Amino acid sequence: EAEKVGQEKLMANKSQYTTYQTLGDLNLSFPKFEKISNYKRELNIETAIASVSYIGDGALYKREIFSSAPDQAIIMELTSEKASAITFTANMSRPGNKATIEVDSDGNITMTEHINNGNGVIFYTRLKINPNGGTMTFDTTNNTISVYKANTVLIFLTASTNYNGKDAKALSKENMQKVSQKGFEPLKIDHIKDYQYYFKRVDINLGKTDTNQVALPTDSRLATFKAGSTSDPELLKLYYQFGRYLLISSSRPNSLPANLQGIWADGLNPPWDCDYHININIQMNYWPAEVTNLSELHLPFLNFINDLRPNARTTAKKMYGINGTVAHFATDAWHYTEPWGKTDWAMWPMGMAWSCRHLWEHYLFTGDEEYLKTTAYPAMKEAAQFCNGWLITDPKTKKLVSGPSISPENKFITKDGAVASMVMGPTMDHMIIRDLFNSTIEASKVIGTDSIFRIQLQKSLTKLSPTKIASDGRIMEWTEEFKEENPGHRHISHLYGLYPSNEINIKTPELLKAARKTIDYRLANGGGHTGWSRAWIINYFARMQDGKAAYDNLIALLQKSTLDNLFDNHPPFQIDGNFGATAGITEMLLQSHAGEIHLLPALPQAWGNGYVKGLVARGGFEVSITWENGLLKKVEILSKLGNDCALRYGNNDKIIRMTTEKGKLYSFTEGMLK
């Protein structure tokens, strides 16, 4: 009955389905060769340069392509070892056939469209070709550019939209005028320098792979992995760093955050509109940001959270009659915050509250009090205001509970045999609210403000319904011991307190034991069948300090939910599994959520020898670890902020506590930590 009322009264009418879309395609048509051999396609994640090479009729041909952040352009160079050998025709196209394409007076092919019949953004892109040698002609009827018998060719593509009030045409033209005056090598050098500024911060070695295996194409190595031969630790290294490459490439300061497909959506109607699901997916995208030393790349999501606030205030007030901010299961580039669709996945008002965890985490890693004061705390406070006003006393238990709400996106069997999803007080809600209240209280103390509000939150925390353990020893997902409709459900929402939050840790052994039973039960019933869910499970087991189980689920992710190009497979392709797995590998090697830096907490036997350099722990510590035969050999800790430091190694109970100086490097060996 509650779901029926919710469907009729609470679901908004989202009449405009806003979706991220492909810009279009650049098509290059070459003359046919009599014989082609040694064809190779490559993405070098050390340089973020894609290349294609082959031997055509006895001559080597090569294309190098990169997307340059400093020059805001896609750049391609075509070369051949044979003089006057490059001939092709270029054109642009876009699905839907509604774009206006023409050759302009400057010799560019331009393409523009006002998306969604005038209801979306205006984009403008232009293509310019600079050949060295040979001839170039323009066909204004077919809107193509043809190059004949050039020695080398440079291709430039720039694009912009009018999102946030930009002049798309002027900006794409300005960027083209700048970039097309430069040579390929200076552009390439600037691109690599910009990319490696982020990428080179972390280096990792999980063991050596046989040289012959490394020489195989990635899809062949993955196929061997899927066939059961998993002795390829360098493939895991590649997969790990690929996750960092994806974040560097899809989330730069002053951009929108990475969406469900990062930026790699194809077509006009990608799965789930390629939007921002804030009931785990966008959060998972940013799990590796701080720990893998990419803190600045967290900012697009953090700024996006703040951009949600105006709409989130309106939704909180008009829908619930409560001050503060609220957002539901999904949003988009226009900052939609109301629930829409079906109650069993939409009636969940915790999207803003969960997102605020990232605001607090950024402070924990950076110690930036100005950011905390001006950016993070105001958003956290508003989300906490809503949650505090939304809680209500359960007449049976006299505890505060949330609701009406759901446990994303699971359902249960009622006592009369019906299938339902909406309840008062789902466990995940309370875990998120407890997490938000605690972090908001701590933030207010740091910046010395809102003492009265802090007391209100502290009072609510004492009354908030606790995390409960069911009669079978598992964490309860709802306020009653309902039977799940799908015991192997992909969402394991009621373990939020284990990861990404820190309510359940080595200092809460009963809850940790119950969490283990919960995850074992899910897996025994087919859980982890989507890529992102399996990635979440890796992080769970890492937090449980079970290196074998974390490793086994990492292997399962590559074997069952990874495409040939290493993209995560939901199915279909969804990028959060890549990011979640990179975070999970990091959690196996370093943790800092329980008030201490925990070294090699879940190191699997398969990684007997290795190292990792440049990881980051909460409190502002950069950590590098070397291990041999499964044992710590050396750890170096750079104190970036001068905070106190507590060190724990593996499963040892011994903790070393020390004061540190900002900018000083501290070294320890295994013997010093035993």
Side-chain angles (χ1 to χ4, degrees):
E1 292 175 357
E3 287 180 7
K4 183 179 179 181
V5 172
Q7 192 66 51
E8 294 174 353
K9 303 294 185 181
L10 299 180
M11 295 298 102
N13 177 21
K14 194 171 190 282
S15 56
Q16 289 291 335
Y17 285 89
T18 54
T19 180
Y20 185 78
Q21 296 181 343
T22 184
L23 177 68
D25 293 296
L26 165 61
N27 310 293
L28 305 180
S29 301
F30 297 90
K32 186 176 180 179
F33 290 100
E34 292 297 323
K35 183 179 180 181
I36 292 180
S37 62
N38 291 8
Y39 185 85
K40 180 180 179 182
R41 299 169 62 201
E42 179 183 272
L43 169 63
N44 185 333
I45 62 170
E46 290 281 332
T47 60
I49 293 177
S51 62
V52 178
S53 63
Y54 54 89
I55 296 176
D57 292 345
L60 176 65
Y61 291 82
K62 188 172 184 179
R63 300 195 293 272
E64 284 191 301
I65 312 105
F66 57 88
S67 178
S68 170
D71 283 291
Q72 289 294 293
I74 293 174
I75 297 134
M76 181 189 305
E77 184 187 49
L78 290 74
T79 60
S80 173
E81 63 180 5
K82 181 181 178 182
S84 305
I86 302 176
T87 296
F88 66 90
T89 296
N91 74 289
M92 289 195 292
S93 60
R94 188 170 195 270
N97 298 315
K98 293 184 178 180
T100 299
I101 303 171
E102 59 186 12
V103 177
D104 70 8
S105 57
D106 295 325
N108 302 298
I109 300 178
T110 63
M111 181 169 67
T112 185
E113 184 180 338
H114 197 165
I115 302 300
N116 195 19
N117 298 315
N119 291 311
V121 298
I122 298 171
F123 79 80
Y124 206 98
T125 185
R126 60 187 66 231
L127 176 75
K128 188 174 185 64
I129 300 177
N130 286 352
N132 174 13
T135 59
M136 182 167 64
T137 60
F138 305 92
D139 183 340
T140 56
T141 301
N142 296 304
N143 298 310
T144 61
I145 298 176
S146 296
V147 174
Y148 184 64
K149 290 189 175 181
N151 299 312
T152 63
V153 178
L154 268 181
I155 298 178
F156 308 94
L157 190 145
T158 62
S160 187
T161 77
N162 68 339
Y163 183 75
N164 283 346
K166 299 174 184 176
D167 184 330
K169 182 177 181 179
L171 188 56
S172 68
K173 185 174 183 178
E174 178 185 344
N175 288 336
M176 179 62 77
Q177 288 173 337
K178 291 178 181 178
V179 72
S180 61
Q181 301 303 312
K182 301 179 182 180
F184 183 72
E185 285 304 316
L187 289 166
K188 183 177 176 180
I189 289 170
D190 288 346
H191 159 72
I192 293 174
K193 181 180 178 181
D194 169 80
Y195 171 75
Q196 291 188 343
Y197 172 72
Y198 300 104
F199 185 78
K200 288 292 188 180
R201 294 175 183 177
V202 170
D203 187 18
I204 190 170
N205 183 336
L206 301 175
K208 294 292 291 182
T209 298
D210 180 84
T211 304
N212 293 329
Q213 182 76 358
V214 173
L216 294 174
T218 302
D219 57 345
S220 297
R221 294 171 71 182
L222 187 61
T224 301
F225 224 77
K226 292 181 177 182
S229 178
T230 59
S231 57
D232 191 352
E234 290 189 51
L235 179 62
L236 297 180
K237 171 185 176 177
L238 178 66
Y239 183 76
Y240 178 87
Q241 291 285 40
F242 182 56
R244 296 182 68 248
Y245 157 84
L246 293 173
L247 191 61
I248 296 168
S249 301
S250 62
S251 182
R252 290 298 187 94
N254 301 314
S255 74
L256 283 167
N259 56 44
L260 278 174
Q261 278 80 32
I263 52 172
W264 291 273
D266 194 18
L268 303 184
N269 298 289
W272 301 284
D273 295 334
C274 199
D275 63 14
Y276 299 111
H277 272 56
I278 49 177
N279 64 359
I280 184 173
N281 308 100
I282 189 173
Q283 289 93 339
M284 185 179 283
N285 283 4
Y286 287 90
W287 286 352
E290 301 291 343
V291 291
T292 73
N293 220 330
L294 299 174
S295 186
E296 307 97 312
L297 309 188
H298 206 173
L299 293 174
F301 180 35
L302 305 182
N303 293 332
F304 184 78
I305 295 167
N306 266 287
D307 290 340
L308 286 172
R309 287 167 65 194
N311 284 353
R313 288 188 205 109
T314 301
T315 301
K317 198 68 176 177
K318 289 190 175 182
M319 182 172 174
Y320 297 96
I322 299 174
N323 291 327
T325 55
V326 65
H328 294 79
F329 78 103
T331 184
D332 57 24
W334 312 110
H335 312 115
Y336 199 89
T337 54
E338 299 171 46
W340 58 273
K342 299 292 184 180
T343 55
D344 54 358
W345 37 267
M347 193 53 239
W348 182 77
M350 289 283 99
M352 178 65 83
W354 184 347
S355 296
C356 283
R357 168 153 199 86
H358 285 255
L359 296 167
W360 177 238
E361 287 277 35
H362 185 66
Y363 167 73
L364 293 179
F365 280 91
T366 65
D368 188 340
E369 290 190 18
E370 182 62 24
Y371 151 84
L372 182 65
K373 181 179 180 180
T374 60
T375 302
Y377 179 73
M380 294 164 63
K381 178 183 177 182
E382 284 190 317
Q385 282 177 322
F386 171 82
C387 291
N388 202 40
W390 187 52
L391 292 169
I392 191 169
T393 302
D394 184 332
K396 293 181 180 179
T397 66
K398 308 305 178 185
K399 294 287 186 179
L400 291 175
V401 296
S402 63
S405 189
I406 63 168
S407 184
E409 297 170 359
N410 207 358
K411 299 179 182 180
F412 56 88
I413 309 298
T414 67
K415 293 176 182 178
D416 60 2
V419 177
S421 60
M422 193 181 294
V423 294
M424 296 299 293
T427 296
M428 187 193 212
D429 278 14
H430 296 161
M431 286 178 165
I432 291 173
I433 292 169
R434 189 176 295 110
D435 188 29
L436 175 63
F437 284 7
N438 280 322
S439 59
T440 304
I441 288 167
E442 290 304 309
S444 74
K445 290 178 181 178
V446 172
I447 60 179
T449 189
D450 288 333
S451 59
I452 295 176
F453 182 58
R454 188 192 315 157
I455 293 170
Q456 291 173 351
L457 296 184
Q458 289 170 333
K459 184 177 180 181
S460 293
L461 277 172
T462 64
K463 297 180 179 181
L464 184 62
S465 183
T467 300
K468 300 175 184 177
I469 299 175
S471 58
D472 64 0
R474 293 185 290 146
I475 302 287
M476 287 175 58
E477 187 163 1
W478 298 279
T479 46
E480 298 180 47
E481 291 192 40
F482 293 120
K483 181 180 178 181
E484 304 101 313
E485 180 200 31
N486 179 3
H489 199 273
R490 63 194 180 279
H491 283 262
I492 314 174
S493 304
H494 48 314
L495 293 189
Y496 171 93
L498 176 63
Y499 188 94
S501 184
N502 59 358
E503 176 185 341
I504 303 172
N505 56 60
I506 57 176
K507 299 174 183 178
T508 59
E510 288 188 4
L511 288 176
L512 199 60
K513 182 180 178 181
R516 179 59 188 248
K517 286 191 174 182
T518 302
I519 192 67
D520 285 346
Y521 182 83
R522 277 289 165 92
L523 285 170
N525 285 278
H529 51 279
T530 67
W532 65 264
S533 182
R534 183 72 69 174
W536 200 357
I537 290 167
I538 297 168
N539 286 275
Y540 285 149
F541 279 120
R543 287 281 174 95
M544 294 176 190
Q545 300 179 37
D546 190 334
K548 182 181 184 304
Y551 178 78
D552 288 347
N553 279 276
L554 174 62
I555 298 304
L557 178 62
L558 269 79
Q559 289 178 332
K560 300 177 181 180
S561 301
T562 300
L563 300 170
D564 283 348
N565 65 348
L566 298 186
F567 271 156
D568 172 69
N569 196 16
H570 179 285
F573 160 53
Q574 193 169 293
I575 204 167
D576 40 18
N578 288 102
F579 293 131
T582 293
I585 293 171
T586 308
E587 289 289 315
M588 294 165 73
L589 303 175
L590 179 73
Q591 296 177 19
S592 61
H593 61 285
E596 57 199 35
I597 297 175
H598 197 161
L599 307 170
L600 304 180
L603 183 70
Q605 187 176 358
W607 299 342
N609 301 305
Y611 64 78
V612 64
K613 300 177 181 179
L615 300 183
V616 182
R618 293 166 183 83
F621 300 99
E622 190 169 301
V623 183
S624 297
I625 311 168
T626 302
W627 64 92
E628 288 183 0
N629 300 316
L631 298 174
L632 176 73
K633 182 180 180 183
K634 184 180 180 181
V635 58
E636 292 185 334
I637 298 175
L638 173 65
S639 178
K640 300 166 75 173
L641 303 174
N643 286 328
D644 291 345
C645 177
L647 281 182
R648 180 195 294 267
Y649 163 50
N651 295 319
N652 295 338
D653 291 329
K654 180 179 178 180
I655 299 176
I656 291 181
R657 301 185 186 278
M658 61 181 181
T659 57
T660 70
E661 296 179 25
K662 182 178 180 180
K664 188 172 180 179
L665 186 69
Y666 299 84
S667 297
F668 299 88
T669 61
E670 180 200 10
M672 299 168 69
L673 294 170
K674 276 188 173 180

